[in-house]
Structure formats: structure tokens, C-alpha cells
């Protein structure tokens, strides 16, 4: 057992967790704050060690941590290495950086070590995995059929909830975590003044606080069905946790688990589908960004393949009219004589 020679990594983690919870109160979602503690407890402390002096956490050790996370987890069934998602490893690295910044502010380390990812070229922009209109139709028709004829009667409610979830998500663009904590009192059925159609006005609670969303008309009936099925009270969650195993089983049956580039489709793909379809229909990109609580830059970056439908060729392919050539002057007799 090693003897600490200064403030330990565990002490830095403890100070960070305490400060972060206090300083972000009311500004960050509770689950997001709790996620930081989970990163520390489940991954960072077991690898770096409680007794390791924080000044021994070097750039080389951080790189070893990345390699460890990419190779240490294996499937119990196949024995193959299961790598964490890029976003998962990024979140853990952000937490580690925040812990080291805390140690730096305390004067326990002279500076935060280099945490850049080595051997990485400038990353290409990949489009988010989504369902094309035809694939989305096949998906909700499959969930509808499963809801009508579940493989086992005790699964009927779960199948019905999943069907309503797929339609709701495809017509609102909510993130899965936003939908999971959505309560009945956060949703109001209104008549849209511009179109005269019934839509949902949703008060969305996400990792960055409260935002707002106006749904497509197709989200109204799924919400009404699940509200009646569950006899929801104002503080009851609308969906809660969805059976992901059931969702994945249906994707496997339809051969839709991966897109053409090999990207895995998840419930998050329903949000990407909503954004992509709105772009394809020619919706204003700024209004989409506001309704989805994201930025125009993010949409342009990850959904650019669909922006082609918003481009007006007549406005792009403008040509200047050519100036008429000056009329040729007739030659005079004097010029002819020369």
C-alpha cells in the first residue's frame, strides 16, 4: 500500500463533487450532477486509486486510462471487447478534467496536464443515425402490430407504451432523457393559431434547465392514449423508462439496427429523425433549433445532408445579365479612302 506524499486524487474528487453540487444548484439537472459522482465512483477512482497523489496524474496516465476503458470490458456471451460510446468516454474525460482543475485551483498541482487525444487526426463530421421516412413508417407500423398482437399477453402494456413512445418522439424531437422525466403537467394540448391543428405545448426539463417545445399534430393521439392507459395524475411521469430490449428486438426484426454507414440506431435516433424530416420538409432551421433546444451550428454540422432540400436553386444559380455589345459604327468614306 503506497504512502501519499501530498493531496490525493480521492481528496481532489471529493472537493470537486462538493463544490460542483453547490455551485450548479438550480442550473444543472439533478441527474446530470449525479452523473459526475457516478463517473468518479465507478471509473475514475478504481483506475487512478484513492491514495495516489494527485500530482502523479500525468498526461501519460490519462492516456492509459483511455486505453483501459477501450479494452477492459468484455461481453459475457461472446468474450468480445465492448467499447464505451464516444460520448460516454468524453463525459468521463470532462469529469476528470474538472477534478484536475479543482486540484489546480487549490494549488495541489502546478497545472492541468495535457489531456488531448493522441494519434487523432481532425475528425470527420458524421451524420447522426436516423430513420428515413420509409424506415420510420416501417418502424411505427411494426410497433403498432406488436401492440395489437404481443408475443405474450403480459407484454401488451409495454408494447402499447413503446408504440406511443415512437410516435411521440418522432413528432416532438425530445431527447430520451427529456422524455423519461416528462410529467403529465408538463404537456398541454392546444389549438395552434397559425394552422388550426391540435398540437402539444411541452415544458421540457433537460440537463440545461427548462425549455419549450411545440409538437407536430401526430404527437397528440399517442399522448392521449398513454395518459388514459396509465390514468396519469399531474405529477406522474408520462413514459418513464422504455423497454429498450423490446425496441432493439423490433429494430433487429426489421434489419434497422444499423444505418448504411454502420452507425447504431437507438431511441436517440428518433430525435434525429424528427430534425431530419423537418429539414426535408423545408422548415426554418432557426425555428427547428429553438424548438429542439439546440443551436443552428449543431444542426448545420450534423444534419447537413438534409439541408439540400432547403436550398433554392433559383436563388443560388443567379447569373448577371450580360451587357449588350456596343453597336458597330459604319465606316465613313474618309476611312474607306485610307
Amino acid at each position: 500500500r503506497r504512502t501519499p506524499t501530498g493531496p490525493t486524487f480521492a481528496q481532489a474528487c471529493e472537493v470537486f463533487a462538493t463544490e460542483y453540487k453547490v455551485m450548479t444548484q438550480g442550473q444543472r439537472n439533478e441527474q446530470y450532477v449525479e452523473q459526475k459522482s457516478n463517473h468518479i465512483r465507478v471509473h475514475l477512482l478504481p483506475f487512478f486509486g484513492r491514495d495516489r497523489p494527485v500530482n502523479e496524474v500525468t498526461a501519460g496516465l490519462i492516456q492509459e486510462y483511455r486505453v483501459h476503458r477501450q479494452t477492459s470490458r468484455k461481453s459475457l456471451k461472446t468474450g468480445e471487447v465492448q467499447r464505451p460510446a464516444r460520448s460516454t468516454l468524453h463525459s468521463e474525460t470532462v469529469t476528470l478534467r474538472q477534478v484536475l482543475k479543482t486540484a489546480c485551483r487549490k494549488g495541489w498541482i502546478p497545472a492541468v496536464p495535457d489531456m488531448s487525444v493522441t494519434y487523432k487526426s481532425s475528425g470527420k463530421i458524421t451524420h447522426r443515425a436516423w430513420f428515413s421516412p420509409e424506415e420510420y413508417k416501417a418502424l411505427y407500423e411494426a410497433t403498432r402490430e406488436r401492440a395489437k398482437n404481443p408475443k405474450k399477453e403480459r407484454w401488451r402494456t409495454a408494447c402499447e407504451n413503446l408504440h406511443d413512445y415512437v410516435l411521440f418522439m418522432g413528432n416532438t424531437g425530445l431527447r430520451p432523457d427529456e422524455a423519461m422525466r416528462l410529467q403529465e403537467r408538463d404537456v398541454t394540448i392546444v389549438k395552434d393559431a397559425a394552422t388550426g391543428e391540435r398540437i402539444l405545448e411541452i415544458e421540457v426539463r433537460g440537463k440545461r434547465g427548462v425549455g419549450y417545445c411545440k409538437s407536430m399534430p401526430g404527437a397528440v393521439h399517442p399522448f392521449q392514449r398513454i395518459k388514459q392507459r396509465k390514468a396519469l395524475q399531474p405529477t406522474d411521469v408520462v413514459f418513464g423508462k422504455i423497454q429498450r430490449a423490446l425496441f432493439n428486438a423490433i429494430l433487429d426484426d426489421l434489419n434497422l439496427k444499423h444505418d448504411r454507414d454502420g452507425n447504431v440506431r437507438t431511441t436517440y435516433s428518433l430525435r434525429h429523425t424528427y430534425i431530419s424530416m423537418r429539414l426535408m420538409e423545408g422548415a426554418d432551421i432557426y425555428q427547428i433549433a429553438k424548438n429542439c433546444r439546440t443551436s443552428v451550428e449543431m444542426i448545420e454540422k450534423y444534419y447537413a445532408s438534409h439541408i439540400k432540400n432547403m436550398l433554392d436553386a433559383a436563388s443560388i444559380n443567379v447569373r448577371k445579365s450580360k451587357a449588350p455589345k456596343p453597336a458597330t459604327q459604319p465606316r465613313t468614306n474618309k476611312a474607306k479612302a485610307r
Side-chain angles (χ1 to χ4, degrees), residues 260-321:
R260 62 181 295 175
D261 297 318
N263 299 315
V264 177
R265 290 188 174 111
T266 65
T267 53
Y268 218 116
S269 301
L270 296 169
R271 171 179 168 86
H272 306 326
T273 300
Y274 169 84
I275 295 176
S276 300
M277 287 187 178
R278 299 284 64 76
L279 289 172
M280 293 170 68
E281 293 291 337
D284 180 73
I285 191 171
Y286 177 70
Q287 294 296 330
I288 296 174
K290 286 203 302 182
N291 201 48
C292 293
R293 299 156 307 285
T294 186
S295 65
V296 172
E297 180 185 5
M298 288 294 291
I299 291 179
E300 288 179 334
K301 183 176 182 180
Y302 291 107
Y303 303 91
S305 61
H306 312 301
I307 296 178
K308 67 180 181 181
N309 298 280
M310 303 174 60
L311 301 179
D312 183 359
S315 300
I316 296 172
N317 300 332
V318 175
R319 294 180 176 86
K320 287 184 178 181
S321 57

Side-chain angles (χ1 to χ4, degrees), residues 124-141:
K124 68 176 183 179
I125 301 301
T126 57
H127 301 307
R128 305 289 175 86
W130 68 297
F131 299 99
S132 69
E134 296 77 15
E135 291 170 335
Y136 179 63
K137 182 180 179 181
L139 174 61
Y140 71 69
E141 286 181 346

Side-chain angles (χ1 to χ4, degrees), residues 221-252:
H221 287 309
F223 172 71
Q224 289 177 317
R225 285 197 297 262
I226 199 165
K227 179 179 178 180
Q228 182 178 7
R229 186 182 308 122
K230 291 186 172 183
L232 294 176
Q233 299 300 312
T235 57
D236 292 340
V237 293
V238 178
F239 294 105
K241 290 185 177 181
I242 289 295
Q243 291 288 341
R244 292 189 179 182
L246 176 60
F247 181 74
N248 289 330
I250 293 175
L251 291 183
D252 288 336

